[in-house]
Amino acid sequence: MKANQILHVIADCPQSFQTVPEEVVKHGYELMREPERAGQDLHFFIRVLR
Amino acid sequence: MRSLYQKIFKTYWNPYVAISLAGVLSALYFGATGTVWAVTGEFTRLGGHVLEWFGVDTSKWAYFQLIKMQGSPLTRTDGWIVIGMLFGALITVLLSNSFKIRVPQQKRRLVQGFVGGIIAGFGARLALGCNLAAFFSGVPQFSFHAWLFMLATAVGTYIGVKIVMTKWWRGKPNLKPATATVTKLPVGKKRTLQPLLGLLVSVFFLGVVVYFALQGKNLLAIAALAGLGFGILIERGQICFTSAFRDQWISGRSVMTKAIAVGMMVATVCTFFYIHNGMPALIKPAAPSTLLGGLLFGIGIVMAGGCETGMMYRMMEGQVHYLFVGIGNLVGATVLAYGWDHLGIYNALTKGWQPINLLKSWGEPAGLIGTLVMLACWWLLAHWWSQHYKFGRGLQVKSDVLTARKAMK
C-alpha cells in the first residue's frame, strides 16, 4: 500500500477490538477513528502514513 | 441500571482486573476443594470416555490411573469446572449480544487449528497441565515445574511465530479495492433475543447449582459456580495466554503478559495463605517431560491461535475455528495418554524426576518472596521488551496514537 491509502479492516473476532488498535499504532500506522461495532463485526480504518 | 449493564456487558473489562479476580477465585477454589483450576486433565478423561464408547479398554492405561477416571464429567468437580466455564462464557457472550457463527474466510485455518490443537493438547498433558495447572495455578502452588513449563512455553511460542509468519501458513488476505472511503457503517439490527437467551441460560445454570446444593453435593455446586466465574472472567477480560506470549514476538505487545503476571501474584499471595495454614500444595515432577511438553504446548497454541482456555470462550462466541482446536486438544491429550506407557514416554522423560516444592526447598518466607520477585521480573521484562521491540516492518514511531497523529500534521 502507498502513503495516505486507507485500509478498512472488518474483523469478527472480538479480541481484535483490543489488539488491532494497539498493534496498528505500534507498527507505525494511524488508526483514523475509534473502532466501531456494527452487529457482531468490528470495523477499523487504518491509514498508511508514509 | 442501564449504564451499569452497558459497562459490564457492552465493553470488555480491563484485563488486569479480570485476571486478578480470576487469581483470587482460583485461590478460593483451592481453599474450598483442595484442587486447582485446571481443564486439560478433564479433556484427557473425556478422550478416554470416547475411546470407551468405541469399546477400547483403557482401564490398564497408566495415564488414566494417574489422573483417575472414576465417574463422568457430570459427577466430577473437574468436569463441572469445564462445563461451568463454557456456560459462563456463553452467558456473557449472549448478554453482550456478541454471538455469531464465525467461519474463517480461509478454510486452511480449520486444519491449522486442528493440528495446532493436537500439538498443544499433547504437550500440555506431557507436562501434566496446561497454561492453568502447569502455569497460572501451578506457580501459586509453588511447584517448580510450572516455571520450567513457562520458560519452555515462551521458547515454543517463538518457534510457533516463525511457523505462522511463513507465506504458506498465512495464505492470501482477501483485499478488495474500494472506490470511496466508507464513512457510514451498516447499522446492525437492534436485537434483544441474545440477551434474553443469556438470561434464560443463567437461570438454568444457577438452577443446577441450587440443585447440587440441595442434594448435598456441595463440591459439585462449588465447582460449577467457580467454573461459571472463570468463564465469565476469561470472556469479559478476553484473557488469552497465547497472546501473552505470542504478541511479544509479533509486535512487542505486552498488556496481556503483564496482566497475567499481576493476576498470578494475586493468586500466589492468596494461595500461600491456605498452604501456610496446612492445605497440602499440589506439586508435580519437574522433569524433561515438563520442558518438552511446554515447548510443544507453545508451538501448538500459536499454530492453533489459542490455548486450552482461550479456545473455550472463543468456541462459545461461535468461532467454528476453535471447535476444531478443541477437538484437536482432545485428540492430542488422548494420544499422550496412550503413549505415556505404551510408547515409553513416562520411562524416558519423567521417571525418576522429583516434584520440587519451592516452599520446602527454600523455606516459606523465601519461597513466597522468591516467587513474587520472579513474577515481578517477568512483568518488568515484558515491559522492557515492549518498550524496546523493533519492528521488522511498518514505521518506527513511538508507541501511542498521538505521536502517530502528530506525524501526519
Side-chain angles (χ1 to χ4, degrees), chain B residues 288-334:
Chain B
S289 55
T290 318
L291 281 172
L292 185 64
L295 190 75
L296 289 173
F297 177 75
I299 297 173
I301 57 175
V302 175
M303 288 169 71
C307 67
E308 272 83 336
T309 356
M311 166 282 278
M312 292 172 75
Y313 69 80
R314 297 202 181 104
M315 203 156 74
M316 291 296 118
E317 284 166 353
Q319 302 203 43
V320 176
H321 176 115
Y322 289 97
L323 194 63
F324 283 72
V325 176
I327 298 170
N329 286 159
L330 273 185
V331 172
T334 314

Side-chain angles (χ1 to χ4, degrees), chain A residues 12-15 18-19 22-23 25-33 36-38 40-41 43 45 49, chain B residues 12 96-97 99-100 102 182-183 185-186 238 240 251 253 255 314 317 386 391 394-395 400 405 408:
Chain A
D12 68 358
C13 175
Q15 199 176 28
Q18 287 182 337
T19 51
E22 203 182 328
E23 300 203 341
V25 177
K26 265 194 150 271
H27 278 270
Y29 304 107
E30 187 196 20
L31 190 68
M32 294 174 65
R33 52 190 201 218
E36 285 171 66
R37 187 176 153 165
Q40 279 81 31
D41 295 335
H43 295 254
F45 293 91
L49 289 183
Chain B
Y12 286 117
S96 63
N97 200 21
F99 185 86
K100 179 191 165 194
R102 299 157 159 103
V182 187
T183 45
L185 298 178
Q238 292 281 306
C240 179
S251 61
R253 179 176 183 269
V255 177
R314 297 202 181 104
E317 284 166 353
S386 71
F391 302 107
L395 299 176
D400 63 36
R405 291 224 167 107
M408 269 307 290

